[in-house]
Amino acid sequence: MTTNPALPTLGTPPPPATAARPRTRHLDDWRPEDPAFWEATGARTARRNLVYSVLCEHIGFSVWSLWSVLVLFLGPEYGIDPAGKFTLTAVPTLVGAALRLPYTVAVTIFGGRTWTLVSALALLIPTGLIAYVLEPGVSYSTLLVVAAVAGLGGGNFASSMANINAFYPQRLKGRALGVNAGGGNLGVPAVQLLGLLVLATAGAAHPRLVPLVYIPLIVLAALGAALRMDDLPRARQHGRPLREVSRDPHAWTMSLLYIGTFGSFIGFGFAFGQVLLVQFPADFPTPVRAAALTFLGPLLGSLVRPVGGMLADRWGGARVTFWTFIAMTAGAGLVLLASHDGSLPLFLTGFVLLFLLSGLGNGSTYKMIPGIYRAAARRWTAAGMDPRAAEQRSHQRANALMGLAGAVGALGGVLINTAFREAFGHSGTGETAYAAFLAYYVLCLVVTRAVYLRGGGEAAAG
């Protein structure tokens, strides 16, 4: 009989250690909440799957972020103005956000290992297309289509998070999800560092080198997933979790908060280089100067995401998220003040703080999601539902909400790039955009306090 991966079966003796690594790469038994099983085979198997999940998701983020680098190569010979470049960075963000919903479902249908392999190989499409078409004389409409295909890299996050969520027990989910997401997020500064290297050595005339570097890496990552990852037992779906979650007020509350954290991270990560070039042209007369700083914020934000998850494991996701939004409000205020005064050091300080804080908030908000449905499972059990069915329903809804919040949160990146496009297009500065970000963070901290702290929503969300 197939055992649901989220359900503890206490008292059942663990299988021998060899059962955790069958040649078929399909696990017939998975009980992470059983301490004996976890110590004997579960922890080792989960860590191995986490490593290869991070690798594939990392490359997915790099491909998704390619256009944050490539726009720095698009000189006057391409005939694209700053507004057009902001659009090129927004399009893959939009497509990646939309793909996160089907990618979440795909894990349940095909299995985590199988879908990781398929989604990794799919990254060969955008990298190959970019390497083929990117040269002076290419039409802007062609670039828009190719940028949209790069959105394939954005879907990987949702399937990867849903898969890893099933591998770990509740007490370790914040740390595991933080490591998985943080390692994936590092794909943003990684591709930006590669872009800087190409700009500084080969020059702006050779943008094709950037995607070409990733083609062999994609093949190696897919091979690692095929040989070293596992498909968990597939639980029978009860109802339609994604549709059911979409009717839950918590889904939209968490999505709103994730726009503020992850939307900020990915939006700023994609746009920061262009912002520096447009807002401080005297300080950044060449793309190389901007690229030398572009990677720093995404790097720091990625590194601290696991810290946000660990803090949430200890102090509660809602509490950490609340204080993060207070600090992000202060950071946005600092950026707004620096923009008004024309102070580059203050501007960079404010943006580095926003990257750090958005990374912390990414970890803490995602820890809230399994906490919400863990508390709901206890409520359903108290109302008379079978405990096993309640746990299964909790796990499926948590995965569905991760996909939904991930998709909506990624739309924040689109909104940020759109806000920059409009602000710079109308006034030549980003001050209206910075003021809008500040107002949104205030909204998020108010909602977090009202729903999850003062209101105690679903046991204060983890």
Side-chain angles (χ1 to χ4, degrees):
M1 182 178 71
T2 299
T3 305
N4 184 274
L7 299 181
T9 312
L10 300 178
T12 304
T18 55
R21 295 180 62 182
R23 290 186 178 183
T24 62
R25 312 309 313 177
H26 179 83
L27 302 179
D28 295 320
D29 181 51
W30 190 251
R31 292 169 282 119
E33 300 291 351
D34 183 336
F37 176 87
W38 184 254
E39 291 297 325
T41 63
R44 182 172 63 254
T45 301
R47 281 194 300 268
R48 172 166 44 79
N49 279 270
L50 177 60
V51 167
Y52 288 93
S53 175
V54 167
L55 175 62
C56 291
E57 187 190 340
H58 174 94
I59 294 177
F61 261 95
S62 291
V63 172
W64 195 26
S65 309
L66 272 170
W67 285 93
S68 71
V69 172
L70 295 177
V71 293
L72 301 178
F73 288 83
L74 304 182
E77 66 273 19
Y78 286 88
I80 304 173
D81 63 10
K85 293 178 183 180
F86 279 122
T87 301
L88 284 173
T89 58
V91 167
T93 314
L94 178 62
V95 174
L99 287 177
R100 288 185 168 193
L101 293 177
Y103 269 55
T104 301
V105 177
V107 171
T108 303
I109 297 174
F110 300 105
R113 166 189 169 270
T114 301
W115 187 250
T116 301
L117 172 61
V118 170
S119 61
L121 289 174
L123 299 177
L124 292 171
I125 300 173
T127 49
L129 283 174
I130 293 169
Y132 181 72
V133 308
L134 194 56
E135 61 181 355
V138 63
S139 69
Y140 185 66
S141 59
T142 299
L143 292 181
L144 283 175
V145 171
V146 175
V149 178
L152 285 169
N156 290 21
F157 172 83
S159 54
S160 179
M161 294 293 276
N163 186 42
I164 293 303
N165 181 52
F167 271 98
Y168 279 83
Q170 179 66 27
R171 71 183 187 280
L172 299 177
K173 285 185 187 292
R175 179 178 301 179
L177 292 174
V179 168
N180 189 59
N185 291 170
L186 280 170
V188 180
V191 74
Q192 291 171 345
L193 277 170
L194 175 61
L196 172 62
L197 178 63
V198 172
L199 279 170
T201 55
H206 299 281
R208 291 173 166 178
L209 292 176
V210 181
L212 285 174
V213 168
Y214 276 95
I215 291 177
L217 298 178
I218 291 167
V219 174
L220 289 174
L223 184 63
L227 297 179
R228 300 292 291 160
M229 292 185 73
D230 304 286
D231 285 318
L232 289 176
R234 299 182 198 174
R236 184 171 65 89
Q237 289 277 45
H238 292 276
R240 297 182 178 181
L242 198 56
R243 178 179 295 181
E244 293 167 2
V245 160
S246 68
R247 299 169 182 165
D248 184 349
H250 285 295
W252 301 107
T253 305
M254 290 306 305
S255 296
L256 181 144
L257 300 182
Y258 204 56
I259 287 174
T261 56
F262 181 75
S264 296
F265 172 83
I266 201 66
F268 295 151
F270 280 26
F272 192 47
Q274 272 298 108
V275 169
L276 292 176
L277 286 173
V278 177
Q279 178 132 8
F280 295 95
D283 296 288
F284 298 95
T286 65
V288 177
R289 292 284 298 275
L293 289 176
T294 297
F295 75 94
L296 181 61
L299 174 64
L300 295 174
S302 301
L303 291 174
V304 301
R305 180 161 184 160
V307 177
M310 288 186 279
L311 290 174
D313 281 339
R314 180 168 185 178
W315 302 106
R319 186 175 300 168
V320 175
T321 299
F322 173 72
W323 286 105
T324 297
F325 278 124
I326 289 179
M328 289 182 74
T329 301
L334 191 62
V335 169
L336 180 59
L337 177 63
S339 176
H340 183 269
D341 292 345
S343 172
L344 179 61
L346 199 61
F347 187 84
L348 293 175
T349 300
F351 256 109
V352 167
L353 286 173
L354 286 176
F355 274 113
L356 280 167
L357 294 164
S358 65
L360 283 173
N362 286 339
S364 63
T365 50
Y366 246 55
K367 172 57 169 65
M368 292 169 70
I369 293 173
I372 287 171
Y373 288 109
R374 185 76 171 181
R378 292 193 292 267
R379 177 166 50 81
W380 296 332
T381 300
M385 182 181 288
D386 176 74
R388 290 175 58 87
E391 283 292 324
Q392 182 174 335
R393 185 183 184 189
S394 166
H395 175 71
Q396 291 176 350
R397 288 199 172 188
N399 277 353
L401 180 48
M402 283 183 180
L404 180 62
V408 177
L411 288 175
V414 181
L415 296 175
I416 282 175
N417 279 273
T418 302
F420 281 136
R421 174 191 169 109
E422 294 302 312
F424 285 112
H426 285 89
S427 64
T429 74
E431 290 178 19
T432 54
Y434 308 139
F437 305 152
L438 188 154
Y440 193 86
Y441 300 148
V442 170
L443 172 65
C444 287
L445 71 88
V446 169
V447 169
T448 304
R449 177 170 175 77
V451 177
Y452 295 111
L453 294 180
R454 194 171 183 178
E458 294 294 10

